[in-house]
Amino acid sequence: MLSRSILRSAFRALPRTIPRPLPRTPFPRVFQEPTPLIVRRFASRGPRIKHYRYNPEEVQRAKPLLTGEQIRNGFRHPGTKVLAVVVLGGGIYFYVSHLETVPVSGRRRFNCYSEDRVEEEGKMMYNMIMQQDRDAILPAWDPRTRMVQRVMNKLIPASGLEHVNWEVHVIESKEANAFVIPGGKVFVYSGILPIAKNDDGLAAILGHEISHNLAQHAGENMSRYVLLEPVRWVFIFLDYAGYTGGLGRFLGDILMDLGMMRPASRRQESEADYIGLMMMARSCYNPDEAVKVWERMEKFQKAAGNSIPQWLSTHPSDSTRIAAMTKWLPSAEEARSESECAVTLGYSKDFQKSLGQSGIWSDLFR
Ligand SMILES: [Zn+2]
Protein backbone atom coordinates (compact mmCIF):
# COMPACT_ATOMS: atom_id res chain seq x y z
CA MET A 1 0.00 0.00 0.00
CA LEU A 2 1.26 3.47 -0.85
CA SER A 3 1.79 5.74 2.08
CA ARG A 4 0.60 9.33 1.98
CA SER A 5 4.16 10.68 2.09
CA ILE A 6 5.17 8.70 -0.98
CA LEU A 7 2.14 10.05 -2.79
CA ARG A 8 2.93 13.59 -1.67
CA SER A 9 6.54 13.40 -2.82
CA ALA A 10 5.48 11.91 -6.08
CA PHE A 11 3.05 14.79 -6.53
CA ARG A 12 5.75 17.32 -5.70
CA ALA A 13 8.00 15.80 -8.32
CA LEU A 14 5.47 16.77 -10.95
CA PRO A 15 6.01 20.15 -12.57
CA ARG A 16 3.72 22.86 -11.19
CA THR A 17 2.17 23.57 -14.47
CA ILE A 18 2.09 20.87 -17.03
CA PRO A 19 3.39 22.47 -20.22
CA ARG A 20 0.73 22.50 -22.85
CA PRO A 21 1.83 20.89 -26.06
CA LEU A 22 2.03 23.38 -28.93
CA PRO A 23 -0.67 22.89 -31.51
CA ARG A 24 0.61 20.39 -33.98
CA THR A 25 1.43 22.03 -37.28
CA PRO A 26 3.40 19.45 -39.14
CA PHE A 27 3.04 21.17 -42.48
CA PRO A 28 4.89 24.26 -43.62
CA ARG A 29 2.94 27.28 -44.74
CA VAL A 30 3.13 26.20 -48.31
CA PHE A 31 0.97 23.20 -47.51
CA GLN A 32 -1.47 25.27 -45.55
CA GLU A 33 -2.89 27.19 -48.44
CA PRO A 34 -6.55 27.66 -47.64
CA THR A 35 -8.56 25.09 -49.48
CA PRO A 36 -11.21 26.86 -51.52
CA LEU A 37 -14.61 25.30 -51.46
CA ILE A 38 -16.74 26.15 -54.42
CA VAL A 39 -20.25 26.99 -53.42
CA ARG A 40 -22.01 27.64 -56.65
CA ARG A 41 -25.49 28.94 -56.25
CA PHE A 42 -26.40 27.88 -59.71
CA ALA A 43 -25.49 30.57 -62.17
CA SER A 44 -27.61 33.34 -60.83
CA ARG A 45 -25.53 34.08 -57.78
CA GLY A 46 -22.28 33.01 -59.33
CA PRO A 47 -19.59 30.75 -57.97
CA ARG A 48 -18.50 31.76 -54.51
CA ILE A 49 -15.19 30.68 -53.17
CA LYS A 50 -14.89 30.51 -49.43
CA HIS A 51 -11.47 30.29 -47.91
CA TYR A 52 -10.88 28.30 -44.79
CA ARG A 53 -9.04 30.57 -42.41
CA TYR A 54 -5.98 29.33 -40.63
CA ASN A 55 -4.58 30.68 -37.42
CA PRO A 56 -1.70 33.05 -38.33
CA GLU A 57 0.07 32.42 -35.00
CA GLU A 58 0.06 28.71 -35.60
CA VAL A 59 1.46 29.25 -39.06
CA GLN A 60 4.29 31.42 -37.70
CA ARG A 61 5.23 28.76 -35.17
CA ALA A 62 5.19 26.09 -37.83
CA LYS A 63 8.53 24.79 -38.95
CA PRO A 64 8.77 24.30 -42.69
CA LEU A 65 8.86 20.67 -43.67
CA LEU A 66 10.84 21.53 -46.76
CA THR A 67 13.14 24.49 -47.07
CA GLY A 68 13.46 26.56 -50.23
CA GLU A 69 16.88 24.96 -50.75
CA GLN A 70 15.41 21.47 -50.57
CA ILE A 71 12.74 22.40 -53.09
CA ARG A 72 15.38 23.87 -55.41
CA ASN A 73 17.38 20.65 -55.13
CA GLY A 74 14.21 18.75 -55.88
CA PHE A 75 13.72 20.73 -59.06
CA ARG A 76 17.31 20.02 -60.12
CA HIS A 77 17.06 16.29 -59.45
CA PRO A 78 17.10 14.30 -62.71
CA GLY A 79 14.14 12.22 -61.52
CA THR A 80 12.03 15.37 -61.36
CA LYS A 81 12.07 15.73 -65.14
CA VAL A 82 10.85 12.18 -65.60
CA LEU A 83 8.15 12.77 -63.00
CA ALA A 84 7.13 16.03 -64.68
CA VAL A 85 6.79 14.27 -68.03
CA VAL A 86 4.72 11.46 -66.49
CA VAL A 87 2.46 13.91 -64.64
CA LEU A 88 2.06 16.13 -67.68
CA GLY A 89 1.32 13.15 -69.92
CA GLY A 90 -1.22 11.85 -67.42
CA GLY A 91 -2.75 15.30 -67.20
CA ILE A 92 -3.10 15.59 -70.97
CA TYR A 93 -4.65 12.13 -71.17
CA PHE A 94 -7.07 13.02 -68.38
CA TYR A 95 -7.98 16.26 -70.14
CA VAL A 96 -8.52 14.73 -73.57
CA SER A 97 -10.49 11.78 -72.21
CA HIS A 98 -12.90 14.15 -70.47
CA LEU A 99 -13.61 16.40 -73.44
CA GLU A 100 -17.26 16.43 -74.43
CA THR A 101 -19.74 18.30 -76.57
CA VAL A 102 -22.37 20.51 -74.99
CA PRO A 103 -25.84 19.53 -76.16
CA VAL A 104 -27.62 21.97 -78.49
CA SER A 105 -24.82 24.54 -78.77
CA GLY A 106 -22.25 21.98 -79.84
CA ARG A 107 -19.38 23.60 -77.92
CA ARG A 108 -16.45 21.35 -76.92
CA ARG A 109 -15.39 21.56 -73.31
CA PHE A 110 -13.64 19.74 -70.50
CA ASN A 111 -15.88 18.25 -67.83
CA CYS A 112 -14.73 15.60 -65.38
CA TYR A 113 -17.82 15.70 -63.16
CA SER A 114 -20.74 13.39 -63.75
CA GLU A 115 -24.28 14.70 -63.46
CA ASP A 116 -24.72 12.68 -60.25
CA ARG A 117 -21.62 14.14 -58.62
CA VAL A 118 -22.76 17.68 -59.39
CA GLU A 119 -26.21 16.87 -58.07
CA GLU A 120 -24.62 15.60 -54.87
CA GLU A 121 -22.77 18.91 -54.51
CA GLY A 122 -26.01 20.80 -55.07
CA LYS A 123 -27.77 19.02 -52.21
CA MET A 124 -25.98 21.03 -49.55
CA MET A 125 -27.05 24.28 -51.16
CA TYR A 126 -30.59 23.04 -51.57
CA ASN A 127 -30.85 22.20 -47.87
CA MET A 128 -29.41 25.57 -46.97
CA ILE A 129 -31.97 27.50 -48.99
CA MET A 130 -34.85 25.34 -47.81
CA GLN A 131 -33.78 25.99 -44.23
CA GLN A 132 -33.14 29.70 -44.71
CA ASP A 133 -36.30 30.57 -46.62
CA ARG A 134 -38.66 27.94 -45.23
CA ASP A 135 -41.15 30.53 -43.88
CA ALA A 136 -41.29 32.39 -47.17
CA ILE A 137 -41.99 29.40 -49.44
CA LEU A 138 -45.39 29.88 -51.04
CA PRO A 139 -47.86 26.99 -50.93
CA ALA A 140 -48.62 24.94 -54.02
CA TRP A 141 -52.07 26.52 -54.40
CA ASP A 142 -50.71 30.07 -54.57
CA PRO A 143 -51.32 31.53 -58.07
CA ARG A 144 -47.64 32.46 -58.32
CA THR A 145 -46.49 28.90 -57.58
CA ARG A 146 -49.04 27.60 -60.04
CA MET A 147 -47.81 29.98 -62.72
CA VAL A 148 -44.21 28.77 -62.29
CA GLN A 149 -45.32 25.12 -62.16
CA ARG A 150 -47.44 25.54 -65.30
CA VAL A 151 -44.53 27.02 -67.29
CA MET A 152 -42.15 24.36 -65.99
CA ASN A 153 -44.56 21.60 -67.02
CA LYS A 154 -44.45 22.88 -70.57
CA LEU A 155 -40.72 23.51 -70.69
CA ILE A 156 -39.46 20.23 -69.27
CA PRO A 157 -40.64 17.96 -72.11
CA ALA A 158 -38.84 20.25 -74.56
CA SER A 159 -35.61 20.13 -72.59
CA GLY A 160 -35.21 16.36 -72.80
CA LEU A 161 -34.59 16.38 -69.05
CA GLU A 162 -37.68 14.45 -68.00
CA HIS A 163 -35.50 12.02 -66.05
CA VAL A 164 -34.55 14.81 -63.62
CA ASN A 165 -36.50 14.94 -60.39
CA TRP A 166 -37.83 18.49 -60.81
CA GLU A 167 -39.02 20.50 -57.85
CA VAL A 168 -40.38 24.04 -57.94
CA HIS A 169 -40.34 26.49 -55.03
CA VAL A 170 -41.57 30.08 -55.19
CA ILE A 171 -40.23 32.26 -52.41
CA GLU A 172 -42.12 35.37 -51.34
CA SER A 173 -39.52 38.10 -51.66
CA LYS A 174 -38.94 41.56 -53.06
CA GLU A 175 -35.76 40.16 -54.55
CA ALA A 176 -35.92 39.64 -58.30
CA ASN A 177 -34.15 36.33 -58.65
CA ALA A 178 -34.49 32.85 -60.09
CA PHE A 179 -32.11 29.93 -60.23
CA VAL A 180 -31.94 26.19 -60.69
CA ILE A 181 -29.72 24.05 -58.48
CA PRO A 182 -28.20 21.00 -60.19
CA GLY A 183 -30.59 18.13 -59.68
CA GLY A 184 -33.58 20.12 -60.94
CA LYS A 185 -34.45 22.19 -57.89
CA VAL A 186 -36.01 25.41 -59.16
CA PHE A 187 -36.21 28.50 -56.97
CA VAL A 188 -38.10 31.59 -58.07
CA TYR A 189 -38.23 34.74 -55.93
CA SER A 190 -41.59 36.38 -56.39
CA GLY A 191 -39.93 39.75 -57.08
CA ILE A 192 -38.97 38.55 -60.56
CA LEU A 193 -42.56 37.79 -61.58
CA PRO A 194 -43.52 41.42 -62.42
CA ILE A 195 -40.47 41.54 -64.73
CA ALA A 196 -41.44 38.24 -66.33
CA LYS A 197 -44.90 39.78 -66.70
CA ASN A 198 -46.53 36.77 -68.40
CA ASP A 199 -46.02 33.05 -69.04
CA ASP A 200 -43.89 33.75 -72.10
CA GLY A 201 -41.61 36.05 -70.13
CA LEU A 202 -41.33 33.55 -67.30
CA ALA A 203 -40.58 30.80 -69.84
CA ALA A 204 -37.66 32.91 -71.08
CA ILE A 205 -36.22 33.22 -67.57
CA LEU A 206 -36.84 29.60 -66.58
CA GLY A 207 -35.69 28.34 -69.99
CA HIS A 208 -32.41 30.16 -69.45
CA GLU A 209 -31.97 28.65 -65.99
CA ILE A 210 -32.90 25.13 -67.09
CA SER A 211 -30.35 25.50 -69.87
CA HIS A 212 -27.57 26.05 -67.35
CA ASN A 213 -28.63 22.67 -65.96
CA LEU A 214 -28.91 21.01 -69.36
CA ALA A 215 -25.48 22.25 -70.42
CA GLN A 216 -24.05 21.16 -67.04
CA HIS A 217 -22.32 24.45 -66.48
CA ALA A 218 -21.87 23.73 -62.77
CA GLY A 219 -19.84 20.59 -63.54
CA GLU A 220 -17.83 22.50 -66.12
CA ASN A 221 -16.89 25.17 -63.59
CA MET A 222 -15.92 22.60 -60.99
CA SER A 223 -13.81 20.83 -63.62
CA ARG A 224 -12.01 24.01 -64.50
CA TYR A 225 -11.02 24.26 -60.89
CA VAL A 226 -9.61 20.73 -60.93
CA LEU A 227 -7.52 21.72 -63.94
CA LEU A 228 -6.23 25.06 -62.68
CA GLU A 229 -5.51 24.21 -59.07
CA PRO A 230 -2.39 22.06 -59.79
CA VAL A 231 -1.00 24.84 -62.01
CA ARG A 232 -1.49 27.27 -59.17
CA TRP A 233 0.40 24.93 -56.89
CA VAL A 234 3.34 24.85 -59.31
CA PHE A 235 3.43 28.67 -59.09
CA ILE A 236 3.36 28.50 -55.31
CA PHE A 237 6.23 25.99 -55.26
CA LEU A 238 8.27 28.11 -57.66
CA ASP A 239 7.66 31.05 -55.37
CA TYR A 240 8.68 29.06 -52.34
CA ALA A 241 11.90 27.96 -54.02
CA GLY A 242 12.66 31.61 -54.75
CA TYR A 243 12.39 31.41 -58.54
CA THR A 244 9.56 33.88 -59.00
CA GLY A 245 10.60 36.51 -56.46
CA GLY A 246 7.34 36.48 -54.55
CA LEU A 247 5.24 36.84 -57.69
CA GLY A 248 4.26 33.18 -57.96
CA ARG A 249 1.47 33.32 -55.45
CA PHE A 250 0.13 36.47 -57.05
CA LEU A 251 0.33 34.98 -60.56
CA GLY A 252 -1.38 31.83 -59.31
CA ASP A 253 -4.26 33.86 -57.89
CA ILE A 254 -4.61 35.88 -61.10
CA LEU A 255 -4.65 32.62 -63.05
CA MET A 256 -7.43 31.25 -60.87
CA ASP A 257 -9.40 34.46 -61.15
CA LEU A 258 -9.06 34.70 -64.93
CA GLY A 259 -9.56 31.00 -65.48
CA MET A 260 -12.45 30.52 -63.10
CA MET A 261 -14.57 33.62 -63.28
CA ARG A 262 -14.17 35.60 -66.46
CA PRO A 263 -14.44 33.45 -69.57
CA ALA A 264 -16.92 31.08 -67.99
CA SER A 265 -19.73 33.46 -67.34
CA ARG A 266 -19.93 35.16 -70.75
CA ARG A 267 -19.81 31.96 -72.78
CA GLN A 268 -22.15 30.09 -70.49
CA GLU A 269 -24.60 32.95 -70.28
CA SER A 270 -24.77 33.25 -74.03
CA GLU A 271 -25.10 29.48 -74.36
CA ALA A 272 -27.93 29.42 -71.81
CA ASP A 273 -29.62 32.28 -73.67
CA TYR A 274 -29.49 30.34 -76.91
CA ILE A 275 -30.60 26.98 -75.54
CA GLY A 276 -33.28 28.66 -73.40
CA LEU A 277 -34.66 30.55 -76.37
CA MET A 278 -34.90 27.37 -78.45
CA MET A 279 -36.42 25.50 -75.52
CA MET A 280 -39.17 28.06 -74.94
CA ALA A 281 -39.89 28.23 -78.66
CA ARG A 282 -40.23 24.44 -78.85
CA SER A 283 -42.66 24.66 -75.95
CA CYS A 284 -44.72 27.14 -77.99
CA TYR A 285 -43.93 30.20 -75.97
CA ASN A 286 -43.39 33.39 -77.89
CA PRO A 287 -39.61 33.86 -78.31
CA ASP A 288 -40.08 37.63 -78.91
CA GLU A 289 -40.91 37.89 -75.24
CA ALA A 290 -37.38 36.79 -74.29
CA VAL A 291 -35.96 39.95 -75.82
CA LYS A 292 -38.64 41.98 -74.09
CA VAL A 293 -37.80 40.40 -70.73
CA TRP A 294 -34.21 41.57 -71.07
CA GLU A 295 -35.40 45.04 -71.99
CA ARG A 296 -37.66 45.08 -68.94
CA MET A 297 -34.73 43.91 -66.84
CA GLU A 298 -32.70 46.86 -68.05
CA LYS A 299 -35.52 49.26 -67.30
CA PHE A 300 -36.01 47.73 -63.89
CA GLN A 301 -32.30 48.09 -63.20
CA LYS A 302 -32.33 51.76 -64.17
CA ALA A 303 -35.43 52.45 -62.11
CA ALA A 304 -33.96 50.64 -59.12
CA GLY A 305 -30.94 52.95 -59.19
CA ASN A 306 -28.02 51.46 -57.35
CA SER A 307 -29.78 48.38 -56.12
CA ILE A 308 -29.22 45.91 -58.91
CA PRO A 309 -31.62 42.99 -58.81
CA GLN A 310 -29.96 39.82 -57.57
CA TRP A 311 -30.52 38.01 -60.86
CA LEU A 312 -28.84 40.78 -62.83
CA SER A 313 -25.71 40.71 -60.71
CA THR A 314 -24.73 37.55 -62.56
CA HIS A 315 -26.80 38.11 -65.67
CA PRO A 316 -25.67 41.44 -67.07
CA SER A 317 -28.35 42.77 -69.34
CA ASP A 318 -26.27 44.33 -72.03
CA SER A 319 -27.05 45.32 -75.57
CA THR A 320 -24.81 42.52 -76.93
CA ARG A 321 -27.08 39.98 -75.32
CA ILE A 322 -30.26 41.54 -76.68
CA ALA A 323 -28.65 41.86 -80.12
CA ALA A 324 -27.62 38.19 -80.11
CA MET A 325 -31.08 37.09 -79.08
CA THR A 326 -32.68 39.21 -81.78
CA LYS A 327 -30.37 37.50 -84.27
CA TRP A 328 -31.51 34.06 -83.11
CA LEU A 329 -35.19 34.92 -83.24
CA PRO A 330 -35.84 33.64 -86.79
CA SER A 331 -34.47 30.18 -85.94
CA ALA A 332 -36.44 30.21 -82.71
CA GLU A 333 -39.59 31.03 -84.67
CA GLU A 334 -38.77 28.16 -87.00
CA ALA A 335 -38.31 25.79 -84.07
CA ARG A 336 -41.63 26.94 -82.69
CA SER A 337 -43.54 26.33 -85.91
CA GLU A 338 -41.88 22.95 -86.44
CA SER A 339 -42.74 21.76 -82.96
CA GLU A 340 -46.51 22.11 -83.59
CA CYS A 341 -46.67 22.52 -79.85
CA ALA A 342 -47.01 18.78 -79.56
CA VAL A 343 -45.50 18.27 -76.18
CA THR A 344 -46.53 14.63 -76.03
CA LEU A 345 -45.23 13.66 -79.46
CA GLY A 346 -41.78 12.93 -78.10
CA TYR A 347 -39.86 15.48 -80.11
CA SER A 348 -37.96 16.29 -76.97
CA LYS A 349 -35.52 13.47 -77.51
CA ASP A 350 -34.54 14.99 -80.83
CA PHE A 351 -34.38 18.49 -79.44
CA GLN A 352 -30.77 18.35 -78.37
CA LYS A 353 -29.66 16.63 -81.56
CA SER A 354 -31.58 18.63 -84.13
CA LEU A 355 -30.72 22.03 -82.76
CA GLY A 356 -27.14 21.07 -82.10
CA GLN A 357 -26.49 20.85 -85.79
CA SER A 358 -27.58 24.37 -86.56
CA GLY A 359 -24.35 25.86 -85.21
CA ILE A 360 -25.87 29.32 -84.88
CA TRP A 361 -24.71 29.76 -81.34
CA SER A 362 -21.11 28.90 -82.02
CA ASP A 363 -20.97 31.54 -84.80
CA LEU A 364 -20.75 34.09 -82.04
CA PHE A 365 -17.46 32.75 -80.77
CA ARG A 366 -15.66 32.01 -83.96
ZN1 LIG B 1 -27.51 32.56 -66.55
Side-chain angles (χ1 to χ4, degrees):
M1 215 172 104
L2 288 167
S3 73
R4 281 188 166 208
S5 61
I6 294 175
L7 270 176
R8 208 174 292 137
S9 56
F11 185 75
R12 249 186 246 122
L14 283 170
R16 282 285 167 91
T17 50
I18 298 162
R20 279 188 179 196
L22 284 172
R24 270 191 65 209
T25 49
F27 302 118
R29 189 175 175 147
V30 68
F31 290 113
Q32 291 199 337
E33 271 304 300
T35 316
L37 167 79
I38 299 183
V39 179
R40 183 170 165 87
R41 183 164 269 222
F42 201 61
S44 51
R45 293 196 182 172
R48 289 183 185 177
I49 296 181
K50 274 188 190 167
H51 286 281
Y52 291 126
R53 303 232 168 271
Y54 45 73
N55 182 356
E57 278 173 34
E58 254 178 51
V59 173
Q60 264 179 6
R61 267 202 298 268
K63 252 178 146 188
L65 195 69
L66 291 168
T67 61
E69 184 56 37
Q70 280 170 315
I71 294 182
R72 276 194 293 280
N73 285 341
F75 274 123
R76 281 187 216 115
H77 195 273
T80 309
K81 277 182 194 150
V82 179
L83 186 73
V85 170
V86 170
V87 169
L88 201 70
I92 292 171
Y93 174 76
F94 182 70
Y95 179 80
V96 173
S97 61
H98 286 91
L99 281 177
E100 59 175 32
T101 307
V102 179
V104 187
S105 74
R107 177 170 62 94
R108 292 283 287 168
R109 58 107 185 265
F110 167 76
N111 182 13
C112 62
Y113 279 89
S114 69
E115 235 176 314
D116 292 340
R117 253 314 288 288
V118 177
E119 195 178 325
E120 201 56 46
E121 299 279 325
K123 258 180 198 156
M124 194 180 72
M125 203 186 300
Y126 169 79
N127 292 337
M128 208 178 71
I129 300 166
M130 288 301 275
Q131 179 69 23
Q132 202 177 291
D133 297 324
R134 66 176 180 278
D135 298 329
I137 295 175
L138 295 173
W141 51 261
D142 191 283
R144 289 164 290 181
T145 312
R146 282 162 73 177
M147 180 186 181
V148 176
Q149 190 69 61
R150 178 171 67 235
V151 175
M152 281 299 291
N153 289 351
K154 260 177 98 175
L155 283 175
I156 296 308
S159 70
L161 295 173
E162 292 104 322
H163 60 279
V164 175
N165 195 11
W166 293 96
E167 214 181 285
V168 176
H169 298 287
V170 181
I171 292 163
E172 169 106 73
S173 167
K174 280 187 186 135
E175 224 179 83
N177 199 9
F179 51 92
V180 180
I181 291 173
K185 309 291 179 274
V186 183
F187 287 93
V188 176
Y189 286 70
S190 60
I192 209 168
L193 296 176
I195 303 172
K197 205 174 164 187
N198 46 43
D199 281 22
D200 299 270
L202 186 59
I205 293 170
L206 291 176
H208 174 99
E209 291 301 330
I210 297 169
S211 301
H212 277 307
N213 222 335
L214 187 146
Q216 291 177 39
H217 287 157
E220 185 184 348
N221 291 341
M222 283 155 65
S223 303
R224 195 175 303 110
Y225 179 77
V226 169
L227 218 57
L228 288 177
E229 185 63 1
V231 183
R232 182 165 154 260
W233 274 89
V234 170
F235 272 115
I236 291 171
F237 268 106
L238 286 173
D239 208 14
Y240 201 63
Y243 288 129
T244 45
L247 273 175
R249 227 164 253 267
F250 176 67
L251 287 173
D253 285 344
I254 290 186
L255 176 93
M256 287 306 277
D257 188 39
L258 287 177
M260 285 301 292
M261 311 296 176
R262 316 264 157 106
S265 51
R266 219 197 119 219
R267 232 158 230 245
Q268 293 181 345
E269 282 309 311
S270 168
E271 196 168 60
D273 277 347
Y274 177 71
I275 303 174
L277 191 71
M278 295 302 157
M279 196 187 289
M280 74 177 286
R282 296 287 281 212
S283 308
C284 289
Y285 286 112
N286 183 4
D288 289 341
E289 202 61 30
V291 179
K292 287 182 190 152
V293 162
W294 285 109
E295 288 168 352
R296 281 201 286 275
M297 279 279 176
E298 245 177 2
K299 230 183 250 171
F300 186 86
Q301 188 186 4
K302 276 177 195 150
N306 286 332
S307 65
I308 297 170
Q310 193 49 259
W311 203 62
L312 275 185
S313 63
T314 46
H315 293 82
S317 70
D318 50 26
S319 45
T320 332
R321 169 171 238 154
I322 295 175
M325 291 192 98
T326 315
K327 200 178 132 197
W328 297 328
L329 276 182
S331 29
E333 283 294 351
E334 207 177 304
R336 187 192 189 193
S337 57
E338 273 171 19
S339 84
E340 297 165 2
C341 306
V343 179
T344 50
L345 284 181
Y347 61 75
S348 60
K349 287 183 188 69
D350 304 325
F351 170 71
Q352 299 180 5
K353 269 190 220 154
S354 64
L355 287 167
Q357 282 142 15
S358 59
I360 305 165
W361 177 82
S362 45
D363 285 349
L364 253 192
F365 292 102
R366 251 175 224 149

